Amino acid sequence: MNLVDEKRGTSMEKNEKESMENNELPNINYRGWKVMPFIIGNETFEKLGAIGTLANLLVYLTTVFNLSSITATNIVNIFNGSASLATLLGAFLCDTYFGRYKTLGFCTFASFLGLLVIQLTAWIKSMHPPECGNEKSTCIEPSTGQMSFLLLGFGFLIVGAAGIRPCNLAFGADQFNPNTDSGKKGINSFFNWYFFTYTFAQMVSLSLIVYIQSNVSWALGLGIPAALMLFSCVVYFTGSKYYVKVKASGSPVTNIVQVLYVAIKKRRLNLTEDEFFSYISSHSINSKLPRTLQFRFLDKAAIITPQDNINPDGSASDPWSLCSIQQVEEVKCLVRVLPIWVSGILYYVALVQQSTIIIVPTLRRFTGKEGGITILQRIGIGMFVSILCMLVSGVVEQKRRTMAINNPIGIEPRKGAISSMSGLWLVPQLTLAGLSDGFTLVGQVEFYYKQFPENMRSLAGSLFFCGLALSSYFSSFLISVIHRLSDASATGNWLPQDLNKGRLDYFYYIITLLEVVNLGYFVMCSRWYRYKGDGSDSSDVQLDQLSKQFDKKINGV
């Protein structure tokens, strides 16, 4: 390159920077709610398809495939755990290579293939063992080929979950302009609508679709979810030309590892305010973050030493020897979130997943905050309600057991007496469970989305589902421990096959105690936490500093 070319290049870089400073950016058409029929429609039919099959999967494996309860339970648990943990890989591939639009499209179709394969195992008689007779000795186990075909369907569903779960929320939020008040409110409302569709899908799946599967036909009952998933694919691709599509920006994991490595490498250096490397790439989609005083040892990764070389464009010649303070603050965002994330693992031990919409306009008028109250306050309220839920559950279980012993209405084989208690007694605890999830579940997802750097938002979605996976594993561990310890106690096994001979209410009270401890831990972490982009003690999420450069990475995947 000659001198003229160098000057021309320097001039172009200068003009580009001035243009960015003057907000002269490409006019991105954020259609917001105009594209929500495609996105929410896709998510609704996708959830109807997935939940409609998975909700009754254990019954299908034991009745159609003649598997034992233990084997079927293990398969379901392994599948659920694998699907949740696979979101880490899906988020990595999405953020690094493919972007959310392509990832969602591919994985939605993979989910359809998975549901189709499972439906074929019910429709084609040779794909499942013969129906089991009245006597156990007549049951024929599935062949290797039949199980392999079934597991192929599970494999497709895991591939689908790996991309859909971490990306669908972030992709929907991408359609709103984060730099405007209406866009910010749209993002908040979208989170609530997202979980409304989840609740709606659960209601339909657990009632209508499960009824068809159990009482009409498994082939029809599994065919409906497959057809709904296919329709979900059609709805999604119909809106393709209207979506805002954010390009993949490289692996955020590499930046995380670089900061940790360089901070350890420079651990003996002293911190001074004027030595930090402040370069920000013009291709970055992340908002510019102010320096914070938490985790100051990580700041050493941005200290410039005489051995560090700088490229002509201002970047570090060796990113494994020098990181920018922006990179350091992005890693701090992740580190700060982790303690809050840990509190969510124990929270989900107490509650089944139920979701409701949070009505925030009234709270917004009183508090002046965009979401009515801060995100962490919403999560904390949900955790407190979960404690009340478990207390009520223990009281109701005690009443159920007493009425089953003193006033039974029948006997269930291997399960004991049937309690005469009305099912309406369960309404209070289920209401509290739904209210708790409406605050905490929605709040957690919104918290992860807003507090992670923009190039880690798919990873943020996967973190939520990894928390669910770990909570499931912890719940199984807790049940096993209580089962073994109580079996040798004077009161007898708390969790026997016949619950009337056990003390399930004691188990609920133990979970209540754990939830109280967890809430205290969460409050402590919340008081310590500092929101992204806010170096003060303010507890409100600030989105005003979202980078204007975000728009430059849009319009193409």
Side-chain angles (χ1 to χ4, degrees):
M1 179 183 293
N2 57 35
L3 183 59
V4 174
D5 291 334
E6 289 181 358
K7 290 183 177 180
R8 183 180 301 156
T10 302
S11 177
M12 291 175 63
E13 291 178 5
K14 182 178 180 181
N15 291 336
E16 180 180 338
K17 291 180 180 179
E18 291 178 352
S19 177
M20 290 168 56
E21 293 174 356
N22 294 329
N23 200 27
E24 297 176 5
L25 297 171
N27 185 21
I28 304 303
N29 190 2
Y30 289 97
R31 291 183 170 88
W33 288 109
K34 293 181 180 179
V35 296
M36 287 302 106
F38 301 107
I39 293 178
I40 294 179
N42 162 257
E43 291 171 351
T44 301
F45 290 114
E46 182 270 326
K47 292 183 184 69
L48 282 170
I51 298 175
T53 295
L54 301 179
N56 214 18
L57 186 58
L58 184 63
V59 177
Y60 180 70
L61 294 178
T62 55
T63 59
V64 177
F65 269 72
N66 300 336
L67 297 177
S68 67
S69 297
I70 294 178
T71 301
T73 301
N74 287 337
I75 290 177
V76 172
N77 286 338
I78 292 173
F79 167 77
N80 288 333
S82 300
S84 294
L85 292 178
T87 58
L88 282 174
L89 177 61
F92 171 79
L93 294 176
C94 170
D95 288 337
T96 306
Y97 300 108
F98 305 115
R100 286 187 272 271
Y101 170 74
K102 286 184 178 179
T103 301
L104 277 174
F106 175 80
C107 291
T108 302
F109 186 72
S111 293
F112 162 69
L113 293 179
L115 296 181
L116 178 62
V117 167
I118 294 177
Q119 192 276 337
L120 291 178
T121 63
W123 183 40
I124 303 176
K125 292 184 177 181
S126 61
M127 289 290 99
H128 61 261
E131 183 179 356
C132 187
N134 294 328
E135 299 180 4
K136 187 176 181 180
S137 59
T138 63
C139 295
I140 300 176
E141 294 183 353
S143 65
T144 302
Q146 291 168 343
M147 281 301 300
S148 298
F149 194 68
L150 177 67
L151 294 178
L152 175 65
F154 289 158
F156 278 124
L157 289 178
I158 290 175
V159 172
I164 293 175
R165 292 181 180 181
C167 296
N168 54 3
L169 262 174
F171 182 72
D174 286 343
Q175 310 309 310
F176 296 92
N177 188 344
N179 296 312
T180 64
D181 290 337
S182 61
K184 297 172 190 176
K185 292 178 182 178
I187 292 174
N188 290 336
S189 298
F190 171 71
F191 288 134
N192 292 329
W193 276 106
Y194 174 88
F195 286 102
F196 171 77
T197 64
Y198 181 84
T199 304
F200 173 77
Q202 279 193 321
M203 291 174 59
V204 174
S205 299
L206 296 176
S207 55
L208 179 60
I209 296 179
V210 168
Y211 176 83
I212 294 174
Q213 292 170 349
S214 301
N215 297 280
V216 180
S217 166
W218 278 104
L220 177 61
L222 293 175
I224 292 175
L228 291 172
M229 187 63 75
L230 177 61
F231 191 64
S232 174
C233 295
V234 174
V235 172
Y236 179 76
F237 288 112
T238 300
S240 293
K241 64 181 181 179
Y242 305 111
Y243 298 142
V244 171
K245 303 169 186 176
V246 181
K247 287 184 178 181
S249 57
S251 172
V253 177
T254 302
N255 289 336
I256 296 172
V257 175
Q258 285 175 345
V259 170
L260 296 176
Y261 173 79
V262 179
I264 295 174
K265 184 178 178 181
K266 295 183 175 181
R267 63 187 180 278
R268 292 187 175 87
L269 298 180
N270 295 322
L271 289 173
T272 56
E273 298 297 327
D274 56 350
E275 292 183 352
F276 294 121
F277 183 51
S278 58
Y279 170 79
I280 299 179
S281 172
S282 60
H283 301 289
S284 174
I285 67 173
N286 293 344
S287 56
K288 183 178 180 180
L289 302 175
R291 185 190 168 214
T292 59
L293 298 181
Q294 292 177 318
F295 308 109
R296 295 185 65 193
F297 65 91
L298 293 176
D299 293 349
K300 294 184 178 183
I303 294 178
I304 302 176
T305 65
Q307 292 76 29
D308 294 322
N309 297 318
I310 308 299
N311 292 324
D313 63 353
S315 62
S317 60
D318 183 7
W320 293 95
S321 296
L322 178 63
C323 300
S324 68
I325 195 66
Q326 172 74 9
Q327 286 178 270
V328 172
E329 290 300 327
E330 290 170 4
V331 174
K332 288 183 182 180
C333 289
L334 173 61
V335 177
R336 274 193 293 263
V337 165
L338 291 180
I340 304 293
W341 173 74
V342 170
S343 68
I345 296 175
L346 188 57
Y347 163 78
Y348 283 105
V349 173
L351 299 175
V352 294
Q353 295 184 44
Q354 299 178 43
S355 303
T356 59
I357 284 189
I358 297 174
I359 307 300
V360 299
T362 302
L363 287 173
R364 185 184 297 135
R365 285 196 294 269
F366 280 102
T367 64
K369 297 183 183 298
E370 181 182 314
I373 53 179
T374 66
I375 301 178
L376 290 178
Q377 287 172 347
R378 289 163 59 183
I379 296 174
I381 290 173
M383 289 184 173
F384 176 76
V385 174
S386 74
I387 295 174
L388 300 180
C389 174
M390 296 313 299
L391 280 174
V392 172
S393 298
V395 173
V396 172
E397 168 56 25
Q398 190 173 13
K399 181 176 180 59
R400 184 210 65 79
R401 178 176 176 272
T402 301
M403 296 184 68
I405 295 174
N406 299 329
N407 188 27
I409 59 174
I411 301 294
E412 180 75 13
R414 297 184 303 277
K415 296 183 179 180
I418 301 175
S419 177
S420 58
M421 185 187 78
S422 170
L424 294 178
W425 278 89
L426 299 176
V427 171
Q429 67 193 64
L430 294 178
T431 301
L432 289 172
L435 183 63
S436 175
D437 265 4
F439 277 97
T440 298
L441 187 145
V442 178
Q444 280 188 336
V445 173
E446 185 176 345
F447 176 75
Y448 297 146
Y449 176 84
K450 290 183 176 180
Q451 295 306 294
F452 271 63
E454 286 77 358
N455 66 333
M456 295 186 191
R457 282 176 174 168
S458 299
L459 180 63
S462 70
L463 192 68
F464 171 77
F465 287 102
C466 286
L468 296 183
L470 293 178
S471 68
S472 297
Y473 297 148
F474 180 77
S475 179
S476 298
F477 170 77
L478 183 63
I479 291 173
S480 299
V481 170
I482 296 297
H483 181 77
R484 292 184 180 182
L485 293 179
S486 63
D487 194 37
S489 67
T491 57
N493 195 334
W494 291 3
L495 304 172
Q497 183 75 7
D498 183 356
L499 291 179
N500 298 325
K501 298 179 181 179
R503 295 310 303 255
L504 181 60
D505 51 335
Y506 289 176
F507 178 68
Y508 286 153
Y509 294 143
I510 286 182
I511 295 179
T512 302
L513 180 61
L514 292 175
E515 290 296 314
V516 171
V517 175
N518 188 55
L519 179 60
Y521 165 77
F522 172 79
V523 171
M524 180 182 66
C525 293
S526 299
R527 291 175 62 87
W528 162 84
Y529 188 80
R530 295 296 176 265
Y531 285 93
K532 186 182 80 171
D534 187 359
S536 67
D537 291 335
S538 173
S539 60
D540 193 18
V541 178
Q542 301 295 329
L543 294 178
D544 296 327
Q545 297 185 20
L546 281 174
S547 175
K548 296 174 182 139
Q549 299 177 33
F550 174 81
D551 293 338
K552 295 193 65 180
K553 290 293 290 183
I554 296 175
N555 287 339
V557 176

PDB file of all heavy atoms in Angstrom, residues 30 66-67 83 90 123 149 153 164 292 317 323 383 394 525 553:
ATOM      1  N   TYR A  30     -37.001  -1.193  12.362  1.00  0.00           N
ATOM      2  CA  TYR A  30     -37.490  -2.037  13.453  1.00  0.00           C
ATOM      3  C   TYR A  30     -39.014  -2.071  13.362  1.00  0.00           C
ATOM      4  O   TYR A  30     -39.685  -1.094  13.667  1.00  0.00           O
ATOM      5  CB  TYR A  30     -37.078  -1.463  14.805  1.00  0.00           C
ATOM      6  CG  TYR A  30     -35.611  -1.564  15.118  1.00  0.00           C
ATOM      7  CD1 TYR A  30     -34.751  -0.488  14.882  1.00  0.00           C
ATOM      8  CD2 TYR A  30     -35.068  -2.720  15.662  1.00  0.00           C
ATOM      9  CE1 TYR A  30     -33.405  -0.567  15.181  1.00  0.00           C
ATOM     10  CE2 TYR A  30     -33.724  -2.813  15.965  1.00  0.00           C
ATOM     11  CZ  TYR A  30     -32.901  -1.735  15.727  1.00  0.00           C
ATOM     12  OH  TYR A  30     -31.564  -1.816  16.023  1.00  0.00           O
ATOM     13  N   ASN A  66     -44.002 -50.496  26.284  1.00  0.00           N
ATOM     14  CA  ASN A  66     -43.916 -51.536  27.315  1.00  0.00           C
ATOM     15  C   ASN A  66     -42.640 -51.438  28.161  1.00  0.00           C
ATOM     16  O   ASN A  66     -42.103 -52.455  28.605  1.00  0.00           O
ATOM     17  CB  ASN A  66     -43.994 -52.940  26.688  1.00  0.00           C
ATOM     18  CG  ASN A  66     -45.300 -53.159  25.942  1.00  0.00           C
ATOM     19  OD1 ASN A  66     -46.301 -52.512  26.224  1.00  0.00           O
ATOM     20  ND2 ASN A  66     -45.281 -54.073  24.982  1.00  0.00           N
ATOM     21  N   LEU A  67     -42.153 -50.228  28.375  1.00  0.00           N
ATOM     22  CA  LEU A  67     -40.968 -50.060  29.206  1.00  0.00           C
ATOM     23  C   LEU A  67     -41.371 -50.006  30.669  1.00  0.00           C
ATOM     24  O   LEU A  67     -42.476 -49.563  31.007  1.00  0.00           O
ATOM     25  CB  LEU A  67     -40.228 -48.775  28.821  1.00  0.00           C
ATOM     26  CG  LEU A  67     -39.673 -48.699  27.400  1.00  0.00           C
ATOM     27  CD1 LEU A  67     -39.036 -47.337  27.151  1.00  0.00           C
ATOM     28  CD2 LEU A  67     -38.660 -49.809  27.149  1.00  0.00           C
ATOM     29  N   ALA A  83     -31.529 -32.044  26.668  1.00  0.00           N
ATOM     30  CA  ALA A  83     -32.110 -30.948  25.890  1.00  0.00           C
ATOM     31  C   ALA A  83     -31.768 -29.595  26.492  1.00  0.00           C
ATOM     32  O   ALA A  83     -31.489 -28.624  25.773  1.00  0.00           O
ATOM     33  CB  ALA A  83     -33.630 -31.125  25.791  1.00  0.00           C
ATOM     34  N   GLY A  90     -25.856 -24.924  21.433  1.00  0.00           N
ATOM     35  CA  GLY A  90     -26.659 -24.179  20.472  1.00  0.00           C
ATOM     36  C   GLY A  90     -26.406 -22.690  20.535  1.00  0.00           C
ATOM     37  O   GLY A  90     -26.300 -22.020  19.501  1.00  0.00           O
ATOM     38  N   TRP A 123     -47.954 -44.663  14.876  1.00  0.00           N
ATOM     39  CA  TRP A 123     -48.835 -44.920  13.724  1.00  0.00           C
ATOM     40  C   TRP A 123     -48.520 -46.251  13.053  1.00  0.00           C
ATOM     41  O   TRP A 123     -49.420 -47.019  12.710  1.00  0.00           O
ATOM     42  CB  TRP A 123     -48.707 -43.766  12.739  1.00  0.00           C
ATOM     43  CG  TRP A 123     -49.623 -43.880  11.554  1.00  0.00           C
ATOM     44  CD1 TRP A 123     -50.910 -44.314  11.559  1.00  0.00           C
ATOM     45  CD2 TRP A 123     -49.311 -43.550  10.207  1.00  0.00           C
ATOM     46  NE1 TRP A 123     -51.440 -44.271  10.288  1.00  0.00           N
ATOM     47  CE2 TRP A 123     -50.468 -43.797   9.433  1.00  0.00           C
ATOM     48  CE3 TRP A 123     -48.179 -43.052   9.578  1.00  0.00           C
ATOM     49  CZ2 TRP A 123     -50.515 -43.581   8.063  1.00  0.00           C
ATOM     50  CZ3 TRP A 123     -48.230 -42.816   8.205  1.00  0.00           C
ATOM     51  CH2 TRP A 123     -49.385 -43.085   7.452  1.00  0.00           C
ATOM     52  N   PHE A 149     -35.118 -46.199  16.467  1.00  0.00           N
ATOM     53  CA  PHE A 149     -35.936 -45.238  15.723  1.00  0.00           C
ATOM     54  C   PHE A 149     -36.552 -44.213  16.675  1.00  0.00           C
ATOM     55  O   PHE A 149     -36.609 -43.012  16.374  1.00  0.00           O
ATOM     56  CB  PHE A 149     -37.035 -45.975  14.954  1.00  0.00           C
ATOM     57  CG  PHE A 149     -37.712 -45.126  13.922  1.00  0.00           C
ATOM     58  CD1 PHE A 149     -37.032 -44.708  12.785  1.00  0.00           C
ATOM     59  CD2 PHE A 149     -39.026 -44.733  14.080  1.00  0.00           C
ATOM     60  CE1 PHE A 149     -37.660 -43.927  11.820  1.00  0.00           C
ATOM     61  CE2 PHE A 149     -39.666 -43.950  13.133  1.00  0.00           C
ATOM     62  CZ  PHE A 149     -38.974 -43.545  11.999  1.00  0.00           C
ATOM     63  N   GLY A 153     -35.835 -39.914  17.076  1.00  0.00           N
ATOM     64  CA  GLY A 153     -36.768 -38.805  17.272  1.00  0.00           C
ATOM     65  C   GLY A 153     -36.352 -37.916  18.436  1.00  0.00           C
ATOM     66  O   GLY A 153     -36.393 -36.685  18.345  1.00  0.00           O
ATOM     67  N   ILE A 164     -33.682 -23.535  19.703  1.00  0.00           N
ATOM     68  CA  ILE A 164     -34.918 -22.784  19.944  1.00  0.00           C
ATOM     69  C   ILE A 164     -34.917 -22.143  21.326  1.00  0.00           C
ATOM     70  O   ILE A 164     -35.230 -20.960  21.484  1.00  0.00           O
ATOM     71  CB  ILE A 164     -36.147 -23.706  19.778  1.00  0.00           C
ATOM     72  CG1 ILE A 164     -36.290 -24.136  18.317  1.00  0.00           C
ATOM     73  CG2 ILE A 164     -37.407 -22.995  20.239  1.00  0.00           C
ATOM     74  CD1 ILE A 164     -37.399 -25.146  18.085  1.00  0.00           C
ATOM     75  N   THR A 292     -16.241  -0.344  36.132  1.00  0.00           N
ATOM     76  CA  THR A 292     -16.789  -0.546  37.465  1.00  0.00           C
ATOM     77  C   THR A 292     -15.677  -0.998  38.409  1.00  0.00           C
ATOM     78  O   THR A 292     -14.625  -1.470  37.963  1.00  0.00           O
ATOM     79  CB  THR A 292     -17.907  -1.601  37.452  1.00  0.00           C
ATOM     80  OG1 THR A 292     -17.375  -2.845  36.955  1.00  0.00           O
ATOM     81  CG2 THR A 292     -19.059  -1.159  36.564  1.00  0.00           C
ATOM     82  N   SER A 317      -2.163  -6.111  19.116  1.00  0.00           N
ATOM     83  CA  SER A 317      -1.571  -7.057  18.168  1.00  0.00           C
ATOM     84  C   SER A 317      -1.662  -8.494  18.675  1.00  0.00           C
ATOM     85  O   SER A 317      -1.748  -9.435  17.899  1.00  0.00           O
ATOM     86  CB  SER A 317      -0.100  -6.692  17.907  1.00  0.00           C
ATOM     87  OG  SER A 317       0.641  -6.727  19.123  1.00  0.00           O
ATOM     88  N   CYS A 323      -6.017  -7.038  26.696  1.00  0.00           N
ATOM     89  CA  CYS A 323      -7.457  -6.956  26.445  1.00  0.00           C
ATOM     90  C   CYS A 323      -7.921  -5.531  26.722  1.00  0.00           C
ATOM     91  O   CYS A 323      -7.298  -4.801  27.496  1.00  0.00           O
ATOM     92  CB  CYS A 323      -8.231  -7.930  27.336  1.00  0.00           C
ATOM     93  SG  CYS A 323      -7.790  -9.668  27.122  1.00  0.00           S
ATOM     94  N   MET A 383     -39.785 -15.344  44.615  1.00  0.00           N
ATOM     95  CA  MET A 383     -39.177 -16.297  45.547  1.00  0.00           C
ATOM     96  C   MET A 383     -39.897 -16.296  46.890  1.00  0.00           C
ATOM     97  O   MET A 383     -40.083 -17.355  47.504  1.00  0.00           O
ATOM     98  CB  MET A 383     -37.695 -15.970  45.733  1.00  0.00           C
ATOM     99  CG  MET A 383     -36.835 -16.277  44.525  1.00  0.00           C
ATOM    100  SD  MET A 383     -35.086 -15.981  44.841  1.00  0.00           S
ATOM    101  CE  MET A 383     -34.375 -16.647  43.320  1.00  0.00           C
ATOM    102  N   GLY A 394     -47.695 -27.917  52.236  1.00  0.00           N
ATOM    103  CA  GLY A 394     -47.528 -28.803  53.378  1.00  0.00           C
ATOM    104  C   GLY A 394     -48.803 -28.931  54.190  1.00  0.00           C
ATOM    105  O   GLY A 394     -49.186 -30.034  54.614  1.00  0.00           O
ATOM    106  N   CYS A 525     -27.103 -11.183  47.457  1.00  0.00           N
ATOM    107  CA  CYS A 525     -26.513 -10.998  46.119  1.00  0.00           C
ATOM    108  C   CYS A 525     -27.101  -9.778  45.420  1.00  0.00           C
ATOM    109  O   CYS A 525     -26.398  -9.047  44.717  1.00  0.00           O
ATOM    110  CB  CYS A 525     -26.741 -12.248  45.276  1.00  0.00           C
ATOM    111  SG  CYS A 525     -25.854 -13.719  45.844  1.00  0.00           S
ATOM    112  N   LYS A 553     -24.536  -4.100  12.686  1.00  0.00           N
ATOM    113  CA  LYS A 553     -24.392  -5.540  12.517  1.00  0.00           C
ATOM    114  C   LYS A 553     -25.688  -6.190  12.067  1.00  0.00           C
ATOM    115  O   LYS A 553     -25.797  -7.396  12.035  1.00  0.00           O
ATOM    116  CB  LYS A 553     -23.952  -6.166  13.845  1.00  0.00           C
ATOM    117  CG  LYS A 553     -22.535  -5.822  14.236  1.00  0.00           C
ATOM    118  CD  LYS A 553     -21.517  -6.417  13.332  1.00  0.00           C
ATOM    119  CE  LYS A 553     -21.436  -7.899  13.478  1.00  0.00           C
ATOM    120  NZ  LYS A 553     -20.405  -8.519  12.662  1.00  0.00           N
TER     121      LYS A 553
END
